[in-house]
Amino acid sequence: MASMEPYEVYAIRYATVMRPAAQSFIDADPHESARRLDYFVWFARNARRTVVIDTGFNADAARRRKREFLRSPAEGLKLLDVDAAAVETVILTHLHYDHVGNFDLFPRATFHLQDLEMSYATGRYMANGHFSHAYEVEEVVGMVREVYRGRVTFHDGTAEIAPGITVHHIGGHTAGLQSVRVWTRVGWIVLASDASHYYANMIDGRPFPIVADVTKMVDGWRTLRELASAPRHVVPGHDPLVMERYRAPRPDLEGIAVRLDDEPA
Ligand SMILES: [Zn+2]
């Protein structure tokens, strides 16, 4: 492991929305206060390669779904010298609109996806709004087209994407959700994506209500902790606290991006 070259890892915040507690926790109390949900894309970079994790949504989707759009994820990447048009490796944690929108901005990329995510997003459960609501059919169809172009690499469970970067099937939130583990200067950090939207989901044991299988979501929280060098290095997928616990890489990126290969406050 000592020979593996560590990655710098960044989260870029590109949108936000206020939601009632019932949309964050299955067991929410009616009196529990609303909380903000932030939208992120992530990337890992060392001297050899840059790997982007999820591609976010665009201004159109933000309007349709009434989210506050802060910046295009591609513009956010540009601020950290990542050119979306040149990126060769994109990991898609799952195909929900807030994770796969903008895949067209990555024309050179190979997309890494779990087998189960494609079968779930094109299968029987999409006839039910509870399961289909967070998918955009045109994006799912677009990803099917990328399969036919040979631009999707499928994984069934754990796989190494590059030395020091592995994906891990978690399921739960969607059937094929995968989380990402990255080797860094502080050890293994885990990008949970929607295996835990908030710190509170995994720490307090409170499942998020958009879910395909609650038992797998609950088991996933343990897997995340086991994958990371320490539980504090599991980074939730949508929690505004991420922007508070980690530092901006430069003063001009305050509120826009944070560096995750660091000790959280
Ligand atoms: Zn999400």
Side-chain angles (χ1 to χ4, degrees):
M1 264 191 261
S3 63
M4 262 190 306
E5 199 181 330
Y7 293 84
E8 299 179 358
V9 185
Y10 299 87
I12 297 164
R13 178 176 174 256
Y14 71 89
T16 187
V17 70
M18 281 298 283
R19 291 153 55 97
Q23 290 181 18
S24 301
F25 305 106
I26 279 181
D27 61 350
D29 182 280
H31 304 292
E32 205 170 335
S33 47
R35 59 171 67 204
R36 191 163 284 287
L37 181 131
D38 279 352
Y39 296 89
F40 299 97
V41 294
W42 305 270
F43 74 93
R45 171 170 65 194
N46 65 17
R48 288 174 205 276
R49 63 180 63 82
T50 297
V51 174
V52 170
I53 297 109
D54 290 344
T55 62
F57 58 72
N58 62 23
D60 264 3
R63 252 190 312 277
R64 278 200 308 278
R65 294 193 184 241
K66 299 184 169 51
R67 273 46 171 170
E68 184 185 339
F69 196 61
L70 304 171
R71 63 194 55 84
S72 159
E75 283 165 26
L77 288 166
K78 197 91 194 163
L79 294 172
L80 285 155
D81 301 313
V82 177
D83 177 8
V87 168
E88 294 181 352
T89 307
V90 172
I91 296 169
L92 296 172
T93 62
H94 59 309
L95 295 177
H96 277 170
Y97 82 99
D98 54 322
H99 296 262
V100 70
N102 299 314
F103 71 87
D104 53 318
L105 301 180
F106 295 79
R108 288 175 58 88
T110 293
F111 300 104
H112 292 265
L113 189 66
Q114 289 285 324
D115 285 321
L116 271 176
E117 184 62 11
M118 183 56 91
S119 61
Y120 178 66
T122 54
R124 63 170 76 188
Y125 294 108
M126 296 306 112
N128 180 303
H130 170 78
F131 302 110
S132 67
H133 177 71
Y135 290 101
E136 287 285 342
V137 64
E138 290 309 324
E139 291 168 358
V140 173
V141 169
M143 198 47 55
V144 171
R145 291 188 203 285
E146 299 303 342
V147 173
Y148 276 71
R149 293 188 182 113
R151 293 183 61 209
V152 179
T153 297
F154 285 100
H155 302 287
D156 178 15
T158 302
E160 183 180 74
I161 305 303
I165 301 183
T166 51
V167 293
H168 302 267
H169 175 242
I170 301 287
H173 172 63
T174 67
L177 176 80
Q178 57 184 349
S179 298
V180 183
R181 183 171 83 145
V182 186
W183 179 245
T184 74
R185 62 184 179 177
V186 296
W188 290 108
I189 74 165
V190 173
L191 303 173
S193 183
D194 292 1
S196 194
H197 289 65
Y198 293 102
Y199 284 104
N201 295 120
M202 59 181 166
I203 290 172
D204 301 338
R206 303 180 68 193
F208 191 82
I210 300 175
V211 60
D213 184 330
V214 185
T215 61
K216 290 199 170 65
M217 180 178 273
V218 170
D219 287 341
W221 299 329
R222 192 187 61 236
T223 304
L224 298 173
R225 283 193 294 273
E226 287 170 0
L227 288 169
S229 289
R232 66 181 182 281
H233 291 309
V234 177
V235 182
H238 287 275
D239 199 328
L241 283 175
V242 170
M243 297 301 292
E244 293 177 24
R245 292 189 179 174
Y246 293 91
R247 286 187 286 263
R250 299 195 307 261
D252 63 305
L253 294 176
E254 208 66 58
I256 298 175
V258 289
R259 189 161 167 186
L260 300 173
D261 54 316
D262 206 349
E263 286 301 329

